[in-house]
Amino acid sequence: MRIQSLQQSTNIAKLPRAEGAAHNDWLRQHEDHCLQDTRVEIRKQIMDWCDDPNSKCIFWLNGMAGTGKSTISRTIARELAEQKRLAASFFFARGKKDISHSRMFFTTIAAQLANSLPVLRISISDAIDNNSDIFQQGLREQWNQLILNPLKSAPTQSIQLVVVIDALDECDSMQDIQLILQLLAEAKDLETVRIKIFLTSRPEIPIFDGFRRLSGEAYQDFILHNIPLDTVNADISTFFLQKLSPLKAKHGLGTPWPDELIIEQLVERAAGLFIYAATTLRFIQDGVDGPEEQLSLVLNATKSSLSATEHLDGIYTTLLQYSVLGKRAYQECEQLAGRFRQVVGSIVVMFNTMPARNLAHLLQIPFKMVSRTLDSLHSVLSVPENESQPVRLFHLSFRDFLQDSRRCSDSRFQIDEKERHISLYRKCMEHIFQLEENICNLWGPGVLITEVPSDTIQKAIPPHVQYACRYWLDHWRLGNPLAVEEDIRTIRQFLEQHFLHWLEGLSLIGEVSNGVRMIIAIEETLSVSCNSH
């Protein structure tokens, strides 16, 4: 029995887990939850759906960007976890490696299910034993063998658990999204262990199409941005009151501060968007001139008659002009704006987050330059004090703003996506060209990767070089329209002189399977580029 239990644990440990997927992952420890007296009605409706044994299998909460979907998801997941009713959670995030795609979606869910419902461990372990390459198979096979079949055969009394899936629209493949919806709907036929799915996304057409293909018995939906504006405004007002009040004592401000008129003006400018409220709060808190001056800048940034998106764009423009440029001379402003486009523009288009020091290495610029740029942007970027933790955007709306010239009215901050991709491709290639044969000084052929100490690999292939090995081709393909003959010659030189070094590097960092896919893509991409030139 003990040996069998050890084998099950070993198999479960093999399940690939997406870093940052779970609601309580360390990467999410500082993200907001709903305040106690906010979003009361929608949270009650969701929890009533969870409690009702006759409710539909899927609850789809859809809403426009900035309406607070992820905050609600984190809150619901935490409440369910406290009640021991959370089966699993997966929070998608565009541009963040493992959680920007579906390759580890079902394996991550299966791993969490094995922990939340131990009776499934035997079935999941057996599925891995019986199909050793299940991790490389498609979504349907993984769903059936690792999740659906174990749930069907679970020897337990009737039980009902919930899986929370946030921001499904940020999965990078619309075909995968539609297949995931189709597969999740099959959970409606489970009898003993019943799994419900709470799911959020933006109201994008491919997702609407995916739900339309499902039976009406499989899901119910709720449109978040259709909540009466008075209700949303009351919640945003509560948010501002509770979050701004502590600044009064901290800075010795008079009473009342903020007064009712200020709160009304802030709520009016938020126009139903919680992301506006959160961004405004961070801007007021982090300013060097004190909260009163920062608040004045916010109130003067936009007119009250603008739309919700225009208000959000106004606060983004104001905080960038104030925090990045300040009152500096023209020439210095141009330099600072150029540094902003280089540093923040890279963060915006990169395929995975990384700490600021690693970013500096990747871009080959001084760490102090990166640090100074990021220090002024705490309102829109999460810049951890712990340098080992990655820098990331608070919200995708900021990236959308920077990449849209119609929204980002100050051209100094506009991010040219293709230019950034081709620039990052060139930086990646420079790092790859530094790779050498037997870079870890292995003691002989046939050495297993598991025998190589991880610190040896990290020293020989630091994180920024790992990123270069993994993503150079993706940057090339997305920036390709700007490519010149020099870039094509660089790829040819790579193939002739560093191809095997690159493969060795991928093998050492456990990315050789991605390398195979990249080799196929290299041939296709290079063929097209050579023909165009």
Side-chain angles (χ1 to χ4, degrees), residues 3-16 110 120-137 141-142 145-146 150:
I3 294 176
Q4 185 182 26
S5 178
L6 286 173
Q7 181 61 38
Q8 291 171 13
S9 297
T10 300
N11 282 343
I12 298 300
K14 293 178 183 177
L15 286 164
L120 299 180
R121 295 175 68 87
I122 297 175
S123 299
I124 295 174
S125 175
D126 288 346
I128 297 170
D129 275 335
N130 296 333
N131 195 343
S132 58
D133 65 344
I134 184 63
F135 306 146
Q136 282 73 50
Q137 293 184 3
E141 288 74 17
Q142 291 184 1
Q145 297 184 48
L146 296 175

Side-chain angles (χ1 to χ4, degrees), residues 381-399:
L381 297 176
S382 173
V383 186
E385 293 183 7
N386 185 340
E387 289 187 5
S388 67
Q389 295 183 11
V391 179
R392 58 185 179 80
L393 303 177
F394 275 121
H395 199 270
L396 277 180
S397 63
F398 184 55
R399 183 177 74 174

Side-chain angles (χ1 to χ4, degrees), residues 383-488:
V383 186
E385 293 183 7
N386 185 340
E387 289 187 5
S388 67
Q389 295 183 11
V391 179
R392 58 185 179 80
L393 303 177
F394 275 121
H395 199 270
L396 277 180
S397 63
F398 184 55
R399 183 177 74 174
D400 296 341
F401 163 78
L402 292 175
Q403 292 180 329
D404 190 339
S405 60
R406 295 167 298 181
R407 294 179 58 188
C408 185
S409 58
D410 191 330
S411 61
R412 293 172 296 182
F413 301 111
Q414 291 173 10
I415 303 301
D416 186 324
E417 184 177 1
K418 293 185 182 301
E419 186 276 331
R420 274 291 90 214
H421 277 300
I422 204 67
S423 178
L424 282 167
Y425 150 75
R426 291 168 183 166
K427 292 297 182 185
C428 287
M429 294 307 282
E430 289 180 28
H431 291 296
I432 290 174
F433 277 30
Q434 301 302 313
L435 294 174
E436 300 175 348
E437 182 179 354
N438 193 20
I439 195 169
C440 286
N441 296 315
L442 302 183
W443 47 93
V447 175
L448 297 175
I449 299 300
T450 54
E451 298 175 5
V452 185
S454 59
D455 57 343
T456 299
I457 297 175
Q458 290 293 320
K459 183 177 181 180
I461 314 175
H464 64 282
V465 180
Q466 294 185 26
Y467 181 92
C469 290
R470 177 65 186 87
Y471 295 111
W472 71 267
L473 182 62
D474 294 311
H475 286 302
W476 157 261
R477 296 173 80 177
L478 290 173
N480 187 253
L482 293 182
V484 295
E485 180 63 30
E486 179 184 351
D487 295 317
I488 297 174

